[in-house]
Amino acid sequence: EPDSLLSAIPRALSEDNLEAIKILYGYGISIDTTIVNGFTGLHLSCIYGSLQCMAWFLLQGADPEILSKEGENAFEIAAAN
C-alpha cells in the first residue's frame, strides 16, 4: 500500500467520511492492514466514533479481535471512547 493512501485514512475516519474510505480501500488495501501506530481502520473508526465507517469495516469482514499495540481489540477501544 502506498503511504499516501494509508496517510489519508485517519483523516477520512476522523470525519466519518465513508465514501472516501470506500475509495481508499478500493485501491486494494487489505481490510485489516495496520494504518498508523498499530491501529487498523476498524480500531481508528472506534477511536474517532465513526459509526458509518465502523459498520462498513465490520460488514467488509474486518476482524474486531485484532489487538492494537496497546493490547486492546476494537470492542475495548469502542467502549473506552
Side-chain angles (χ1 to χ4, degrees):
E1 291 88 29
D3 287 341
S4 60
L5 291 178
L6 294 181
S7 64
I9 291 172
R11 180 172 182 175
L13 289 172
S14 72
E15 299 169 355
D16 202 16
N17 187 338
L18 182 56
E19 291 308 311
I21 290 300
K22 288 179 180 179
I23 290 167
L24 291 165
Y25 278 84
Y27 283 104
I29 299 171
S30 170
I31 203 70
D32 288 323
T33 294
T34 299
I35 306 302
V36 64
N37 296 331
F39 293 110
T40 65
L42 179 58
H43 290 146
L44 291 172
S45 66
C46 292
I47 289 169
Y48 292 122
S50 304
L51 299 180
Q52 291 183 88
C53 293
M54 194 183 312
W56 182 82
F57 279 114
L58 292 170
L59 288 171
Q60 297 304 307
D63 183 353
E65 295 295 332
I66 292 175
L67 299 179
S68 69
K69 282 185 177 179
E70 288 79 27
E72 296 177 310
N73 67 33
F75 299 119
E76 294 165 325
I77 294 169
N81 291 293

